[in-house]
Amino acid sequence: MSIYSVAMLAGSMAIFALYGWRCAAAQRIPTLRQKAWLTALLALVFSAVFGVVLARVSYALLMQELDFEYDGLAALEQLLWLDIDTMCFFGGAVGVCLGVLLANRITRKGNVVLGMDAFAPFAALLVALFRLGEGAFGSYGTGTSLPEGSPLAFFPFALEIKVDGGYSYWGWAIFALSAAFALVWAAVAFFGLRSRGRAGWSFTLTMFFLALPQVLCESMRKRGMLWLFVHVEQLLCAIVLVGVLVYWIIGTKGKRSLLSRWAPLAITLVCIGLLVATEFAIDGKLFDLSHTVCYTFMTAVLLVVGACGVVAAKRWNTEK
């Protein structure tokens, strides 16, 4: 087992231990205290299995990597090959959530959503852990190279990448940026969202605000899952944003006009269109703009999407 695997396993065990502690210490929610440590242990085991399996399988399916008709058993053997370049982070995240969901379903029966809400900050911590782990794989979690002599050529802003021939360069540490966003949200979810909303409040907000900044980070990433120049995991993040918004809007019971009710989603879809145009500009296929201008514009558009999310979430939470 590699040092990376040991570090990720140890970090995950610590995070799930914190999850068990938080559930066991929930004085105002007796259902969370029920079998808290057993739930955390089962969640760790299920998440490890489902996370690895779905990370690998989702990559193979999305990248059309396997052809059983022609390769037969060789395709199955290829599926068992685990490497950072053959894993989908998004699929792994889904697997972890399914593992926690199943653990809560086994131990808490009808109180699954409360268990997922309690897990929200620890889900963000897991994202931060595995994003930081990308730094162990050189250029995988980095962006484009910094200009020669840049004052930001040091960690956590950049990472030195060594290539053949003794040459090295500094690349933007996108993995550290992703981890920083996740850590900030973990703090918000742990200290700011306690018992302040209806069931599902913390978990759905965490899904939304972990996916939101990752749209930018995936665009800046140098290596990753690509369909031509389309970043696959960036597209998956956009699907999560739209899906959570639809969930919030449908679950809002207030008496609003059709236009007011669906305005956050409509604005978000327009913003996604602008993000697509920005990606074309970054790739040099539309307009002649510098990457700095493009990413600044993308950040502004994502802030608008975030505002739409806040509006929709507050309506869902208060207009029950």
Side-chain angles (χ1 to χ4, degrees):
M1 185 179 286
S2 66
I3 295 177
Y4 167 80
S5 300
V6 172
M8 295 302 102
L9 179 59
S12 299
M13 291 174 66
I15 290 170
F16 276 97
L18 288 172
Y19 174 50
W21 164 77
R22 187 187 190 189
C23 291
Q27 298 296 329
R28 291 184 294 174
I29 312 177
T31 52
L32 276 183
R33 298 203 307 272
Q34 178 185 354
K35 300 179 181 178
W37 292 107
L38 176 60
T39 302
L41 177 60
L42 290 177
L44 172 63
V45 174
F46 293 154
S47 295
V49 175
F50 294 163
V52 171
V53 171
L54 287 185
R56 182 68 186 99
V57 171
S58 60
Y59 179 92
L61 293 176
L62 289 168
M63 303 306 290
Q64 299 180 340
E65 181 185 61
L66 306 177
D67 192 338
F68 287 97
E69 182 178 354
Y70 293 100
D71 297 336
L73 289 177
L76 182 59
E77 292 177 3
Q78 185 180 359
L79 190 61
L80 298 176
W81 178 258
L82 303 180
D83 184 77
I84 189 69
D85 278 317
T86 62
M87 308 282 274
C88 174
F89 192 98
F90 191 92
V94 172
V96 169
C97 291
L98 287 177
V100 177
L101 185 68
L102 179 58
N104 278 276
R105 185 71 183 89
I106 291 173
T107 59
R108 296 200 175 103
K109 306 301 181 184
N111 300 302
V112 172
V113 178
L114 289 177
M116 297 305 291
D117 277 339
F119 180 66
F122 306 105
L125 284 179
L126 282 171
V127 169
L129 172 68
F130 281 88
R131 286 300 183 192
L132 283 175
E134 291 177 348
F137 293 92
S139 64
Y140 183 80
T142 62
T144 55
S145 59
L146 276 69
E148 185 91 18
S150 172
L152 296 178
F154 62 92
F155 188 79
F157 297 101
L159 188 71
E160 187 176 15
I161 310 299
K162 299 184 184 299
V163 295
D164 295 337
Y167 172 74
S168 66
Y169 68 92
W170 286 88
W172 290 107
I174 304 304
F175 69 92
L177 180 63
S178 297
F181 283 130
L183 285 173
V184 169
W185 184 258
V188 172
F190 190 82
F191 296 107
L193 299 179
R194 287 187 171 188
S195 304
R196 292 189 178 181
R198 60 195 285 191
W201 168 249
S202 295
F203 189 70
T204 54
L205 276 172
T206 297
M207 287 176 60
F208 188 90
F209 284 102
L210 286 180
L212 183 67
Q214 198 58 34
V215 172
L216 173 66
C217 294
E218 288 299 327
S219 178
M220 298 173 68
R221 185 187 293 272
K222 189 175 182 180
R223 289 168 59 192
M225 298 171 61
L226 293 173
W227 291 336
L228 297 178
F229 68 93
V230 177
H231 296 260
V232 176
E233 296 201 70
Q234 184 184 38
L235 177 61
L236 293 175
C237 287
I239 292 173
V240 169
L241 294 175
V242 171
V244 174
L245 275 174
V246 170
Y247 174 79
W248 282 334
I249 292 171
I250 291 177
T252 300
K253 305 301 181 183
K255 295 180 180 180
R256 293 181 176 274
S257 67
L258 192 64
L259 179 61
S260 174
R261 185 184 183 87
W262 291 93
L265 178 62
I267 295 171
T268 296
L269 292 176
V270 171
C271 288
I272 289 175
L274 293 174
L275 293 174
V276 171
T278 307
E279 286 294 335
F280 274 98
I282 292 170
D283 201 52
K285 293 180 171 61
L286 184 68
F287 307 122
D288 183 19
L289 301 172
S290 69
H291 283 192
T292 300
V293 172
C294 290
Y295 287 127
T296 300
F297 179 72
M298 183 178 289
T299 301
V301 172
L302 289 172
L303 287 174
V304 174
V305 175
C308 290
V310 170
V311 170
K314 284 186 174 181
R315 290 177 179 178
W316 175 79
N317 189 42
T318 56
E319 301 176 16
K320 306 176 186 180

